Amino acid sequence: MNFYTRKWIKPEDLNPNGSLFGGTLLRWIDEEAVIYAIVQLGNPNIVTKYISEINFVSSARTGDIIEMGIEAIDFGRTSLTMRCEVRNKITRKTILSIDKLVFVNLNEEGTPTPHGKTEIHYNYLGIEPDKRD
């Protein structure tokens, strides 16, 4: 799993207990995952279909830096399934894990439509994978 997205926890991200608010973290995860799906499927019309059990393992506090890792695990006919792990950047301690996030590819009318993809591509910047640093 690659960890590309990082967030710095600020006071406005906290719940009344002084730890990271779960709803804020889930919003960040959903946003990052849909961006990943859009890039992979080449279509901006993607929706969240399903998120499996969410396992909050630990928390984060003001000043912590967290990182989100998202990995594609399955391509369906109209969907893309991923898994996610969020961890503390410094301690590497897992904060949250989600086994399945399913996103569906839609056409312009909002109907699920086949995407024709069968594997992950890493050509995000127009650079072939073996040419990256």
Side-chain angles (χ1 to χ4, degrees), residues 122-123 127-133:
Y122 296 98
N123 193 8
I127 303 168
E128 293 304 316
D130 59 340
K131 305 225 187 320
R132 293 183 294 151
D133 292 332

Side-chain angles (χ1 to χ4, degrees), residues 4-69:
Y4 291 118
T5 303
R6 293 173 182 92
K7 296 282 187 183
W8 186 24
I9 307 304
K10 299 180 290 300
E12 59 266 27
D13 304 322
L14 305 180
N15 62 28
N17 296 319
S19 59
L20 178 61
F21 177 57
T24 298
L25 181 55
L26 292 174
R27 180 174 48 89
W28 292 339
I29 291 167
D30 191 41
E31 181 178 350
E32 289 302 316
V34 79
I35 289 168
Y36 186 90
I38 288 167
V39 169
Q40 288 300 316
L41 302 181
N43 178 12
N45 300 318
I46 305 288
V47 294
T48 307
K49 164 83 169 124
Y50 173 80
I51 297 177
S52 71
E53 180 177 302
I54 300 159
N55 185 16
F56 288 96
V57 179
S58 64
S59 191
R61 302 211 174 266
T62 300
D64 286 349
I65 298 169
I66 64 168
E67 54 186 0
M68 291 179 267

Side-chain angles (χ1 to χ4, degrees), residues 67-105:
E67 54 186 0
M68 291 179 267
I70 295 173
E71 177 182 36
I73 57 173
D74 187 44
F75 284 89
R77 193 173 67 80
T78 65
S79 65
L80 174 59
T81 302
M82 295 173 251
R83 70 182 187 92
C84 174
E85 181 181 345
V86 177
R87 66 186 184 188
N88 183 299
K89 172 69 177 156
I90 305 304
T91 67
R92 302 272 194 225
K93 188 173 182 179
T94 297
I95 294 170
L96 169 148
S97 64
I98 302 174
D99 290 334
K100 277 188 178 181
L101 298 102
V102 179
F103 293 84
V104 175
N105 188 61

